[in-house]
Amino acid sequence: AQSVSQHNHHVILSEAASLELGCNYSYGGTVNLFWYVQYPGQHLQLLLKYFSGDPLVKGIKGFEAEFIKSKFSFNLRKPSVQWSDTAEYFCAVSPNTGGFKTIFGAGTRLFVKA
Amino acid sequence: ETGVTQTPRHLVMGMTNKKSLKCEQHLGHNAMYWYKQSAKKPLELMFVYSLEERVENNSVPSRFSPECPNSSHLFLHLHTLQPEDSALYLCASSQTRGEAGGPYEQYFGPGTRLTVT
């Protein structure tokens, strides 16, 4: 069965620390990849997406993610986090089969200490 | 504000009640989704409507009944729910996929926090 695995459920960092959140998926075909973020009290919103081309994707607020096809991974990174990055982050995968199914990971809660 | 609204934001209902959740999108999208978000579990896709036709139904119990009267509105009718159905129910919308393919990011509403007593 298709699945998305996020390695860390909770991450605590100090401001200015570097961030890397892991995401691996299980699906052998072509995929579209997403990271969504949910800030406290707010809606889930798109952070960045990958569907083709340069495997290093840049998103909003200084986030980036790298698609490594051989590792079935799409890790999220930010060189220097801020207190305002405190949120829950969700990796999601959509098999590029023309359907509508998107499979989400369980999420990683990030807390950034000021 | 993402252009997707959901009402009510909170709902408490007994197991014998019948209630409905409402979702409305103002983005001109053609696809709408219902998800269930439970604590410490991935978002679970429940239903997808594309151009007002149901295109995904992920083995959801019949006590959940979706309705999509037009491309802007989506309902989830609830009856004889169980306590384990307590969760956050999220609505989302997106463009349908064109022939060129490509990703269709989803725009989410704030959710309805449902408690079944």
Side-chain angles (χ1 to χ4, degrees):
Chain A
Q2 299 153 2
S3 65
V4 176
S5 175
Q6 292 184 238
H7 308 278
N8 309 98
H9 294 296
H10 291 91
V11 173
I12 301 174
L13 294 173
S14 298
E15 275 196 312
S18 64
L19 170 72
E20 180 160 2
L21 301 182
C23 173
N24 286 90
Y25 64 92
S26 63
Y27 180 73
T30 305
V31 293
N32 301 318
L33 300 157
F34 308 84
W35 276 96
Y36 287 88
V37 61
Q38 189 169 30
Y39 297 103
Q42 294 189 29
H43 308 174
L44 262 172
Q45 58 186 284
L46 183 72
L47 198 57
L48 50 77
K49 63 186 180 185
Y50 170 84
F51 57 96
S52 66
D54 189 344
L56 184 62
V57 179
K58 296 194 183 298
I60 60 171
K61 303 186 180 184
F63 285 90
E64 65 179 31
E66 184 175 13
F67 171 46
I68 303 179
K69 189 174 181 180
S70 61
K71 295 185 178 181
F72 299 91
S73 70
F74 190 54
N75 292 353
L76 181 70
R77 299 194 294 249
K78 185 171 183 179
S80 176
V81 295
Q82 301 172 312
W83 175 80
S84 58
D85 294 322
T86 294
E88 189 161 16
Y89 293 82
F90 296 89
C91 181
V93 173
S94 174
N96 196 1
T97 56
F100 290 86
K101 185 168 290 187
T102 300
I103 304 140
F104 284 80
T108 297
R109 287 187 182 271
L110 171 66
F111 180 73
V112 180
K113 297 183 291 185
Chain B
E1 185 61 48
T2 63
V4 181
T5 58
Q6 290 186 245
T7 55
R9 295 293 304 277
H10 299 271
L11 178 62
V12 179
M13 59 186 289
M15 289 190 283
T16 58
N17 292 157
K18 288 185 180 181
K19 297 286 185 184
S20 295
L21 309 185
K22 179 182 175 182
C23 175
E24 185 172 359
Q25 59 96 1
H26 310 275
L27 300 168
H29 291 160
N30 291 321
M32 297 187 76
Y33 308 72
W34 279 117
Y35 286 91
K36 178 182 179 182
Q37 186 177 27
S38 306
K40 298 182 182 179
K41 291 176 68 176
L43 263 70
E44 300 172 53
L45 179 65
M46 300 175 72
F47 303 103
V48 182
Y49 277 81
S50 172
L51 299 171
E52 298 151 39
E53 283 192 41
R54 192 188 310 178
V55 294
E56 288 278 353
N57 179 349
N58 281 349
S59 303
V60 179
S62 59
R63 56 185 183 270
F64 295 92
S65 175
E67 180 189 1
C68 187
N70 55 62
S71 59
S72 298
H73 294 86
L74 184 66
F75 295 89
L76 188 63
H77 304 300
L78 316 171
H79 64 97
T80 60
L81 294 191
Q82 304 298 310
E84 60 264 29
D85 297 323
S86 298
L88 183 68
Y89 288 85
L90 294 173
C91 174
S93 71
S94 75
Q95 297 286 7
T96 51
R97 207 194 288 264
E99 287 185 10
Y104 46 90
E105 63 265 33
Q106 294 168 47
Y107 293 76
F108 286 85
T112 295
R113 175 69 63 186
L114 173 67
T115 303
V116 181
T117 60

